[in-house]
Amino acid sequence: RRSRARDLRDHAALRERGRNRILADDRSGDRGGRVGSVGHGQRIHSQVAMPSFLAVLGLPRALEELFLSHQEALVARAAPRALELFRRYRSAVQKHAEDEERELLPIYASVPRERRQAAEVFVQEHQRLHELLERIDALLVSSTGRPLDTRTVLHLVEREATYKHLFEHHDQRERTQLFPALDALVPAGQRAAILERLSLGPLLGPR
């Protein structure tokens, strides 16, 4: 019963944070050129383009390229370079997860429960991804002080395949559930402000 009560409190807190985030961005949007309103609080914005949270889908593609560069270095047995690229990748994934939990999941939690996946599922997947990345990092660190033999490379590639499978599953869940729900819930002007805060360009950098 205590666990259920804690889950309910956590869910209520997420919902409240989502409402506060929408209200804060709504006030910001008032200064950005809103020209009218329709329906129950839905407004027409002056932006020509209609930003979508699906734009975040460009992130996994950029991350995939960075991860492939890391694996190329791994296969070439360039352990220091493989570790450097992996840590850039890991930092970007971690920032993405933190941004999502801070900016997006509180809003998503305000969607009626019967019409969405539990927001906690995304947090649990973030934690699992983080654990897998930590283990891969430890293996890479232990390999940098000596030549990479074939067996070590194969072991790392197998570990990374497990991670990539979970990441792709998580990406699909965001694509089909999280981002469409947020697009339906958040007005376009507020979407633009949130998306601007989710940029990972400096972390991804040149490969």
Side-chain angles (χ1 to χ4, degrees):
R1 284 194 297 270
R2 286 194 299 271
S3 177
R4 175 62 176 164
R6 185 170 61 251
D7 288 345
L8 288 172
R9 287 196 300 272
D10 291 346
H11 174 65
L14 273 174
R15 286 173 63 97
E16 184 62 26
R17 284 170 57 198
R19 291 192 192 97
N20 290 341
R21 173 66 66 190
I22 291 175
L23 287 172
D25 285 331
D26 196 46
R27 287 192 292 270
S28 176
D30 283 336
R31 296 189 294 272
R34 183 171 295 147
V35 297
S37 63
V38 293
H40 298 287
Q42 295 179 329
R43 291 170 172 82
I44 301 171
H45 292 262
S46 60
Q47 289 88 346
V48 175
M50 295 293 286
S52 167
F53 286 105
L54 290 170
V56 181
L57 290 176
L59 171 64
R61 308 299 166 258
L63 285 173
E64 183 178 0
E65 286 299 316
L66 184 56
F67 197 78
L68 284 173
S69 295
H70 148 73
Q71 290 194 312
E72 286 170 353
L74 187 60
V75 171
R77 305 190 182 190
R81 176 65 173 162
L83 179 60
E84 175 201 345
L85 290 167
F86 178 81
R87 286 194 163 165
R88 279 170 50 194
Y89 172 88
R90 181 183 174 189
S91 294
V93 169
Q94 185 64 31
K95 182 180 184 303
H96 170 61
E98 290 169 355
D99 285 349
E100 198 171 275
E101 291 176 20
R102 183 186 66 252
E103 300 281 354
L104 305 184
L105 292 183
I107 299 172
Y108 182 69
S110 66
V111 177
R113 189 65 176 259
E114 65 274 9
R115 289 166 42 199
R116 65 172 173 83
Q117 182 82 44
E120 293 78 10
V121 169
F122 294 96
V123 177
Q124 290 164 4
E125 288 181 350
H126 289 161
Q127 291 170 345
R128 178 59 177 154
L129 289 168
H130 177 68
E131 289 168 4
L132 291 172
L133 288 172
E134 272 193 333
R135 292 175 189 172
I136 295 167
D137 189 282
L139 283 170
L140 284 166
V141 168
S142 68
S143 303
T144 53
R146 54 186 171 82
L148 276 174
D149 57 72
T150 301
R151 185 167 294 185
T152 300
V153 171
L154 289 173
H155 183 53
L156 279 161
V157 168
E158 286 176 359
R159 285 290 184 96
E160 291 180 355
T162 299
Y163 164 80
K164 285 181 71 177
H165 177 74
L166 178 58
F167 183 86
E168 288 165 4
H169 180 77
H170 179 71
D171 177 46
Q172 180 69 12
R173 194 189 301 278
E174 290 181 337
R175 178 196 308 270
T176 59
Q177 299 177 33
L178 177 62
F179 298 142
L182 291 171
D183 276 345
L185 185 67
V186 181
Q190 295 171 31
R191 280 182 238 152
I194 295 171
L195 285 168
E196 196 152 322
R197 294 194 291 266
L198 301 181
S199 172
L200 288 179
L203 276 176
L204 292 173
R207 292 184 293 279

